[in-house]
Amino acid sequence: MAEWVESRRGWMLIDFPVDSGLAFLSAAANAGPRDAFYVRMTHWAAPDAWDVKIKPMDAAMFREDQPSHFGLRLLQVSFPAYDLPELTRRLHEHAAGRTVPPAPADWSTVGRWPPGRPGRFNPGDAGGGAAGWSGTGGRAWA
């Protein structure tokens, strides 16, 4: 485990029940602009992207006399420590009931450009819908 801990030096790690973790992510996203912080927290390919995982857990880990029974109980969020001040600010804004209206984000760090720029992957372009996928399961390419 020491090797894993060392690999996460400079990163924060928070465990949540799944629903609480999703609420945490929504609060942080809605309480600030769709800036580089937002891109790191929402896109896996961004530089220093947040690592968000839902982990199945076996109830028998805590009651070893019981048969195994897995469920989705844990959402782990790991992010660079330098994001902590902005995260704290956003959570204070959320607690005060203040949100930022939705706006376009700068996705260029993950290879996604504004709609209409030819030859680049743009989720939502080419009839793929907001998720960027076509009805046949393939990627939508601009």
Side-chain angles (χ1 to χ4, degrees), residues 28-69:
N30 287 320
R34 292 187 176 165
D35 55 6
F37 174 93
Y38 171 81
V39 172
R40 279 192 303 281
M41 75 174 285
T42 60
H43 199 289
W44 60 271
D48 288 339
W50 288 26
D51 187 17
V52 179
K53 296 177 181 173
I54 295 181
K55 302 274 191 166
M57 292 182 65
D58 185 1
M61 289 173 54
F62 307 103
R63 300 204 48 208
E64 293 180 342
D65 60 331
Q66 299 295 310
S68 288
H69 180 75

Side-chain angles (χ1 to χ4, degrees), residues 43-44 120-129 131-142:
H43 199 289
W44 60 271
R120 301 288 189 239
F121 175 60
N122 286 299
D125 282 358
W133 300 95
S134 73
T136 60
R139 290 190 183 129
W141 294 89

Side-chain angles (χ1 to χ4, degrees), residues 9 14 19 24 41 44 71 76 90 92-93 96 106-107 118 135:
R9 185 178 300 276
I14 307 173
D19 289 342
F24 164 82
M41 75 174 285
W44 60 271
Q76 291 182 334
R90 286 177 181 230
H92 283 291
E93 292 296 301
D106 177 0
W107 298 103

Side-chain angles (χ1 to χ4, degrees), residues 86-132:
E86 175 62 11
L87 176 59
T88 302
R89 187 195 69 73
R90 286 177 181 230
L91 293 177
H92 283 291
E93 292 296 301
H94 173 75
R98 293 186 288 269
T99 60
V100 173
D106 177 0
W107 298 103
S108 61
T109 60
V110 297
R112 183 175 153 196
W113 281 261
R117 182 169 174 182
R120 301 288 189 239
F121 175 60
N122 286 299
D125 282 358

